[in-house]
Amino acid sequence: MSKFIKAVLFDLDGTLIDTAADFVRIIGKMSAENNWQAPPEAQIREQVSAGASAMVKLMLRHNGQARVTEEALQVYRQQFLDDYEADICVDSHVFEGLDAVLTTLERKGVPWGIVTNKPRYLAEQLLQKMKLEERCSALVCPEDVSRSKPDPEPMYMALEKLGIPRGAAGCVLYVGDHIRDIESGNSAGMPTILAGYGYIPPEDQKTLKKWGADYIVNTPEQLSKLLLTSGTFEYN
């Protein structure tokens, strides 16, 4: 039996948009400026969902700088964020096939939104550059709530922005590539989809089934098929 869906929510980095190449570029730039060797691209990609600090720490550890002070770490982190903001969308793109998913949802009158732990000023600029800001019906960032994912509060905020009561959370899908995404969606009572193609370290790939997602997809194509052609979901 198919499930009726009122809206679809996505995590941003590693789920809807592949931003890794821009982060790889920034880490490479910072490494060169310090006469360091940049970490392998795959390792940087695995840290994207963990945020700026994780990527900076990877760069430092890779170059024998693991004992930097917290103050120095924050300086590197701010440089990373400043460099990223200056060139936020050089190589980033919507994962293949997912723009067609967004278009289909829009044609069906089904709103879609984003719930992310990316700072709002960066999330808004990225969506602007990708011409998605007017298409996105709800954007929830850490600044909008008192407790970020994995708490359910961001999901409840998204429901409020969409005009959907909490009692109807079971009719709103949440798609994410991190365990906190799944925990947040589950806690809010939403069906969850784990984007196994996202920024997931190899050691975590072995435990994906334990994260508690209702569905797991391994490629953007599988996500597209699940959402649009599998018959699992009905819209409007």
Side-chain angles (χ1 to χ4, degrees), residues 197-210:
Y197 56 82
Y199 306 144
I200 304 173
E203 61 269 22
D204 290 340
Q205 288 281 358
K206 302 174 184 178
T207 64
L208 297 187
K209 291 183 179 180
K210 297 180 180 179

Side-chain angles (χ1 to χ4, degrees), residues 18-25 27-28 37-48 55 58 62 91 93 199:
D18 189 354
T19 53
D22 281 320
F23 293 123
V24 169
R25 177 176 51 81
I27 289 293
Q37 182 182 24
E41 180 177 336
Q43 291 184 17
I44 299 172
R45 187 179 182 89
E46 291 162 8
Q47 295 300 318
V48 171
M55 285 182 276
L58 171 66
H62 189 71
D91 298 307
H93 59 275
Y199 306 144

Side-chain angles (χ1 to χ4, degrees), residues 39-117:
E41 180 177 336
Q43 291 184 17
I44 299 172
R45 187 179 182 89
E46 291 162 8
Q47 295 300 318
V48 171
S49 289
S53 292
M55 285 182 276
V56 168
K57 287 179 181 177
L58 171 66
M59 176 185 68
L60 295 173
R61 288 196 305 269
H62 189 71
N63 290 279
Q65 306 292 319
R67 294 186 177 182
V68 297
T69 65
E70 185 62 28
E71 182 179 359
L73 174 61
Q74 291 308 314
V75 170
Y76 286 120
R77 179 181 182 275
Q78 191 57 54
Q79 180 189 345
F80 175 92
L81 292 173
D82 291 345
D83 287 348
Y84 179 55
E85 182 182 12
D87 267 326
I88 197 168
C89 189
V90 176
D91 298 307
S92 294
H93 59 275
V94 176
F95 277 102
E96 186 175 357
L98 296 192
D99 189 73
V101 170
L102 302 182
T103 299
T104 300
L105 292 174
E106 291 161 0
R107 287 174 179 168
K108 291 177 177 291
V110 178
W112 63 268
I114 294 168
V115 181
T116 177
N117 277 357

Side-chain angles (χ1 to χ4, degrees), residues 157-169:
M157 174 66 72
L159 292 176
E160 183 178 332
K161 287 176 177 285
L162 293 170
I164 297 174
R166 290 190 185 185

Side-chain angles (χ1 to χ4, degrees), residues 10 14-15 98 174-177 182 192-198 200 205 208-209 213-228 230 232-233:
F10 299 89
T15 299
L98 296 192
Y174 185 62
V175 190
D177 72 319
I182 305 306
T192 53
I193 301 175
L194 173 55
Y197 56 82
I200 304 173
Q205 288 281 358
L208 297 187
K209 291 183 179 180
D214 294 288
Y215 309 91
I216 299 176
V217 293
N218 295 315
T219 65
E221 181 184 21
Q222 287 182 6
L223 176 59
S224 177
K225 288 180 178 179
L226 175 63
L227 291 176
L228 300 181
S230 67
T232 304
F233 308 113

